[in-house]
Amino acid sequence: MILQNLTGTNGEKFDLCVRDGKIFSKGLQLEAGPGEETLDCRGLTALPGFVDTHCHWRTPGFEYKEDITTGSQAAAAGGYTFVNLMPNTNPVCSSVAIANSVMQEAERVGLCGCNQTLSITKDFDGETLDHLKTLPATVRFVTEDGKGVQNNQTMARAFAICQQKGITIMSHAEDMQISKWDYRLAENIETVRNLHLAEYYGTRLHFCHVSTKEAIEAIEASRWKGAPVTCEVTPHHLWWTKDVCDYRVNPPIREQADVDALVEAIRLGAVDTIGTDHAPHTAEEKQNGAAGMVGLETAFAICYTKLCLQCGLPLQQLAELMSTNGAAILGLQNKGKLEIGYDADIALVDLAEQWTVHNEALHSKSKNSPYEGVQLTGKVKYTFRNGRMTWKDQ
């Protein structure tokens, strides 16, 4: 397939030739071979397919909220070609067998690749780490997402084991005793604890959904010391402030000063990637206080509108935040760039299109989003995964 008349992140013009799932060639006025299709992409900007470091597809056990098919459809509609799934399922994903079954089903659906992370403690019991000692080399990420490991001794032992095995710990930073009365202090204290453990053991550490100015400042300081630390922020923590949105998420929507600190950290390169924390819930669960929102389908437009149009971030840097850096963090070979030899994972976007979010039009099985009626700029028009079209905006 030849994708003609593309525009790049810096305004450059080019065509892409896609063959056997790879980017075969890149240049001007590429000619199609015998039987090769062409797609005129005039007016569209080509970005590497998006990579989400933090996502929930609710399988196994909570398929009434989301399943792998609907999660994959939402991802493709949002320009995503790979997601990293959290283990707070039922049963908790503490075994390679469960992880493999999820990843195999995602490949069967074929719309979006995924990695299924495992829990730090077995079944989220907060104590047992024996399963970590026997994990094969194919497992590279563990997390206690949604809870955080509360016991300092247990977490220190987990850092030691993961350093020996080359496993990255993904941190949901929350001291749950403190969050009963102060969510800010809860995130900040556990952020500092986990940074000290990463510095002490040399274990790779990735922070999920950083939301406070104190937390991002602590992460920046630790990175200056050379600690092997990366971090993500979510679109909703960049878009909303607590004075205009009280939608329940964890960590919660913060103050304007926190949003400003996150944007500045992005500008300075201290934030590595955007993680959606796509978290489907039913309407009844939201009414009963469940934390989380769906976000795969709105992430690009939110980030483009906020970071590029409102804050002046270069589009190339947004592409790195949403694609290149996430692929590097997850260790994905040949993904995250539109270069010859790389997988043909491509998002084609219309940077001029304005559109209004309507929750019922979302492809996720759940519709829990605070963006109903919000007007955004930037629309994903096509998504390709391994050279195959997985989404076309009608």
Side-chain angles (χ1 to χ4, degrees):
M1 171 179 282
I2 306 294
L3 303 179
Q4 297 178 323
N5 302 313
L6 294 166
T7 301
T9 55
N10 295 316
E12 70 276 21
K13 304 296 183 181
F14 59 92
D15 301 342
L16 287 176
C17 175
V18 173
R19 291 177 184 166
D20 299 322
K22 303 284 186 180
I23 296 175
F24 179 77
S25 59
K26 180 179 181 180
L28 293 172
Q29 297 181 329
L30 299 182
E31 294 186 4
E36 202 163 40
E37 298 179 24
T38 62
L39 178 66
D40 188 348
C41 304
R42 198 178 309 272
L44 299 180
T45 298
L47 303 174
F50 305 142
V51 175
D52 188 2
T53 48
H54 188 161
C55 188
H56 303 262
W57 280 354
R58 303 304 191 196
T59 297
F62 299 115
E63 287 85 355
Y64 67 91
K65 306 185 194 198
E66 190 83 287
D67 56 43
I68 292 173
T69 296
T70 59
S72 298
Q73 290 169 342
Y80 283 90
T81 54
F82 197 93
V83 300
N84 189 49
L85 299 174
M86 298 296 106
N88 53 339
T89 51
N90 185 25
V92 174
C93 185
S94 297
S95 73
V96 174
I98 294 176
N100 286 342
S101 68
V102 171
M103 292 186 287
Q104 289 166 6
E105 177 62 12
E107 284 305 312
R108 186 195 68 78
V109 173
L111 297 177
C112 183
C114 76
N115 174 68
Q116 174 63 63
T117 60
L118 272 65
S119 63
I120 296 174
T121 67
K122 186 171 178 59
D123 300 326
F124 284 175
D125 69 4
E127 299 178 359
T128 306
L129 300 172
D130 292 343
H131 67 298
L132 296 184
K133 301 174 183 177
T134 61
L135 292 179
T138 53
V139 176
R140 302 185 58 231
F141 301 90
V142 294
T143 181
E144 209 88 338
D145 184 75
K147 296 169 68 73
V149 175
Q150 302 300 296
N151 184 276
N152 291 339
Q153 175 180 278
T154 300
M155 195 57 159
R157 289 172 53 220
F159 267 80
I161 294 169
C162 288
Q163 192 280 331
Q164 294 171 356
K165 296 185 69 68
I167 294 172
T168 298
I169 288 178
M170 305 189 80
S171 167
H172 172 101
E174 177 188 357
D175 186 312
M176 297 183 72
Q177 289 186 320
I178 293 177
S179 61
K180 296 174 183 177
W181 52 276
D182 191 328
Y183 270 105
R184 173 179 294 275
L185 187 60
E187 178 174 347
N188 293 342
I189 281 182
E190 194 147 310
T191 296
V192 171
R193 181 199 70 175
N194 291 346
L195 285 170
H196 280 301
L197 290 172
E199 293 171 16
Y200 185 81
Y201 287 106
T203 310
R204 283 190 62 205
L205 171 64
H206 177 79
F207 280 98
C208 300
H209 46 50
V210 180
S211 71
T212 73
K213 60 185 178 67
E214 297 88 0
I216 196 64
E217 288 167 359
I219 291 167
E220 288 181 82
S222 186
R223 286 160 64 118
W224 274 109
K225 298 177 187 177
V229 176
T230 56
C231 69
E232 72 191 36
V233 298
T234 72
H236 50 271
H237 286 118
L238 295 171
W239 185 268
W240 298 111
T241 55
K242 62 182 296 185
D243 59 323
V244 297
C245 180
D246 61 357
Y247 203 78
R248 175 97 165 89
V249 289
N250 188 17
I253 303 300
R254 301 293 190 182
E255 310 274 358
Q256 184 65 54
D258 298 300
V259 174
D260 293 343
L262 296 180
V263 171
E264 183 62 16
I266 287 173
R267 196 188 311 277
L268 296 174
V271 172
D272 297 278
T273 188
I274 302 293
T276 68
D277 197 6
H278 176 86
H281 292 296
T282 66
E284 181 179 2
E285 288 171 331
K286 287 301 294 182
Q287 289 173 358
N288 292 330
M293 68 175 73
V294 294
L296 285 167
E297 297 174 68
T298 52
F300 171 74
I302 291 164
C303 291
Y304 178 69
T305 304
K306 172 69 178 186
L307 294 175
C308 296
L309 297 185
Q310 296 178 10
C311 299
L313 194 77
L315 182 60
Q316 175 59 37
Q317 193 172 352
L318 180 59
E320 292 167 359
L321 286 165
M322 296 194 69
S323 305
T324 312
N325 297 349
I329 289 168
L330 296 177
L332 304 177
Q333 299 295 319
N334 298 319
K335 292 186 184 293
K337 295 181 181 180
L338 298 182
E339 300 295 343
I340 295 171
Y342 276 69
D343 292 344
D345 291 359
I346 306 164
L348 302 183
V349 302
D350 184 342
L351 298 179
E353 182 170 341
Q354 295 183 332
W355 61 286
T356 302
V357 179
H358 297 297
N359 290 348
E360 286 304 314
L362 298 175
H363 293 75
S364 175
K365 189 177 290 188
S366 295
K367 311 299 180 184
N368 53 308
S369 167
Y371 294 101
E372 174 70 33
V374 172
Q375 188 177 72
L376 300 169
T377 302
K379 194 77 162 63
V380 177
K381 307 302 287 185
Y382 295 89
T383 305
F384 295 85
R385 179 185 178 237
N386 294 332
R388 184 172 74 88
M389 188 186 297
T390 56
W391 165 253
K392 178 181 179 181
D393 188 35
Q394 301 297 329

